Amino acid sequence: MDIQFVAADAAIPAKTAVARIVFEGDVHEGAVGEAVSASRFTGGKGQTLDILAPQGLGAARLVLVGAGKRDAFDLIGAEHAAATGYNAVKASGLETLRVEVSGGADLAAHAALGVRLASYRFDKYRTKEKAEKKPSIAKTLVATVDPDAALAAFPDLAALADAISFTRDLVSEPPNVLYPAEFASRVKALESLGLEVEILGEAEMMKLGMGSLLAVGQGSIRESQLVIARWNGAADKTAQPVAFVGKGVCFDTGGISIKPADGMEDMKWDMGGAGTVAGVMHVLAARKAKVNAVGILGLVENMPDGNAYRPGDVLTSMSGQTIEVVNTDAEGRLVLADALWYCQDRFKPKFMVDLATLTGAIIISLGNDYAGCFSNNDELAGNLLDAAKSEDEGLWRMPMPDAYNKQIDSMIADMKNTGGRPGGSITAALFLKRYVNDVPWAHLDIASTAWKKPSSVPTIPDGAVGYGIRLLNRMVRDKYEG
Ligand code: BES
Ligand code: MN
Ligand code: ZN
């Protein structure tokens, strides 16, 4: 999508759809006023009124987009309204969208971000889509009082949109294409943004003693990978980094504890946590954040096979702690156990945040609009929740009561890899906590939010969300830069 900022009084090019963001109580004049009175449009949030060939406007089409109360209009409101306008006309056959947004330059810049996010589409494997079904809008003009100021505010938001698209692509890719080595090489390509990327294979992980992560991938013909991406943007390149760790199960069959056939295709997005970590590193590098950051991705494929790990196996993790496997489908925590340990051992970070599509139980707990936040540190958790609120990403603090630890006691090893059904997300978090020493740490269980179908948010097309990039980017910007 080509984005430009233009003056409010700029001429309207041919084949343009105008999306005009309006508010409750606005008075509309002339033909537009007549159209409004002939409809139930009140300017309420999310409402649209589509007017074809509006008289005297010089546009092919005018969509009024309701944004609710003018006083409550904010940056997220601008994103949503602009995205709603885009969605209303994206396949209209028109090629240019002009979004009219009143108010300051930041609102205009966020309107542009809204269109960027809404226009994301993963269509590389469609070969037969009819031309008239394809989105036609290729250019967006955001009309505002101060286009220069809006343009100046846009680069950081464009970096964010690029990162979210990058992650959405990773999450959308089918599992025959995006296996661990392919995922790793796509992150390696981010070196062009200034990241430093190391890739460890199975032999190297074996030397490090990563018996927990390696067990998960041992039934796959695809080699497991550990990716370490670094961005050193702080003035002091040796300053303690912030760290993000992602579960990257490129496909989760459940292994020998195999999943039911229905919906198993969804397990291609079981690498969503690692996808988000890659996206966070992308945006930090692209906007040259003044921070040192590390992103660690544990990439595996969980398959049933003659060489697969079994229920009953006892694994020795890099930490030295042993794990009795009772369910090979509780594999994400096994990957993270070694990735978290490696991260704190090597980098001694300021904090570690892990992201993982870890448990179905978090969907039962929170539904599809909130991820679960588990943390050993109230300040870090508070920063995450604040950032999530500002960026309109649902996040809810979950408890980690010590008493539930007994559910993961094992008769023959230091722990079992699952604690049964009750509190499944909590015992998973307690398992991870055993691989974290003194460092402030948070675990975001994003099984509920990594994928949205159907989506109810105009800036998120159905499918891969890119959840968490916004909130983590925001938290770093507000609390850890400079
Ligand atoms: N990847 C799944 C969790 C998941 C479920 C993600 C639905 C997205 C949507 C995870 O590896 C898993 O299988 N978890 C099990 C744990 C159980 C065996 C203790 C689960 O949630 O059922
Ligand atoms: Mn699983
Ligand atoms: Zn999984």
Side-chain angles (χ1 to χ4, degrees), residues 5-10 98-109 142-151:
F5 296 93
V6 301
D9 59 3
R98 173 182 152 104
V99 178
E100 298 180 352
V101 53
S102 53
D106 282 345
L107 290 167
V142 179
T144 171
V145 284
D146 192 347
D148 293 339
L151 183 64

Side-chain angles (χ1 to χ4, degrees), residues 247 249 252 259 267 270 329 331-332 357-358:
K247 166 179 171 180
V249 177
D252 180 13
K259 288 181 179 295
M267 286 302 107
D270 208 18
D329 197 12
E331 83 299 338
T357 50
L358 203 64

Side-chain angles (χ1 to χ4, degrees), residues 370-389:
Y370 282 80
C373 174
F374 300 82
S375 182
N376 64 1
N377 184 287
D378 290 345
E379 189 188 336
L380 177 60
N383 287 343
L384 288 163
L385 293 167
D386 286 350
K389 188 156 223 150

Side-chain angles (χ1 to χ4, degrees), residues 257-276:
S257 314
I258 198 161
K259 288 181 179 295
D262 253 13
M264 201 200 275
E265 69 280 7
D266 278 347
M267 286 302 107
K268 75 171 184 182
W269 51 266
D270 208 18
M271 36 55 70
T276 292

Side-chain angles (χ1 to χ4, degrees), residues 374-456:
F374 300 82
S375 182
N376 64 1
N377 184 287
D378 290 345
E379 189 188 336
L380 177 60
N383 287 343
L384 288 163
L385 293 167
D386 286 350
K389 188 156 223 150
S390 308
E391 295 291 318
D392 197 38
E393 291 193 302
L395 185 64
W396 196 255
R397 182 98 184 249
M398 298 286 286
M400 280 195 294
D402 241 339
Y404 291 20
N405 263 310
K406 63 176 175 300
Q407 286 177 236
I408 52 173
D409 283 347
S410 160
M411 280 176 62
I412 67 161
D414 297 334
M415 68 199 80
K416 299 193 289 194
N417 77 328
T418 101
R421 268 175 80 84
S425 307
I426 298 173
T427 51
L430 285 168
F431 180 97
L432 298 180
K433 192 164 179 260
R434 295 178 181 213
Y435 296 85
V436 177
N437 287 334
D438 294 337
V439 50
W441 156 76
H443 154 59
L444 307 188
D445 192 336
I446 63 167
S448 45
T449 53
W451 187 266
K452 252 189 185 341
K453 197 173 185 301
S455 169
S456 50

Side-chain angles (χ1 to χ4, degrees), residues 31-102:
V32 174
E34 280 172 45
V36 170
S37 351
S39 78
R40 290 184 140 178
F41 183 85
T42 62
K45 227 178 225 179
Q47 288 184 357
T48 57
L49 181 66
D50 205 353
I51 307 170
L52 296 175
Q55 258 176 38
L57 191 69
R61 196 162 173 159
L62 170 65
V63 189
L64 298 184
V65 182
K69 299 221 168 3
R70 188 181 285 268
D71 295 346
F73 189 53
D74 58 8
L75 302 177
I76 300 287
E79 291 173 23
H80 285 186
T84 299
Y86 169 81
N87 290 336
V89 298
K90 66 182 175 190
S92 60
L94 301 171
E95 288 159 16
T96 304
L97 170 67
R98 173 182 152 104
V99 178
E100 298 180 352
V101 53
S102 53

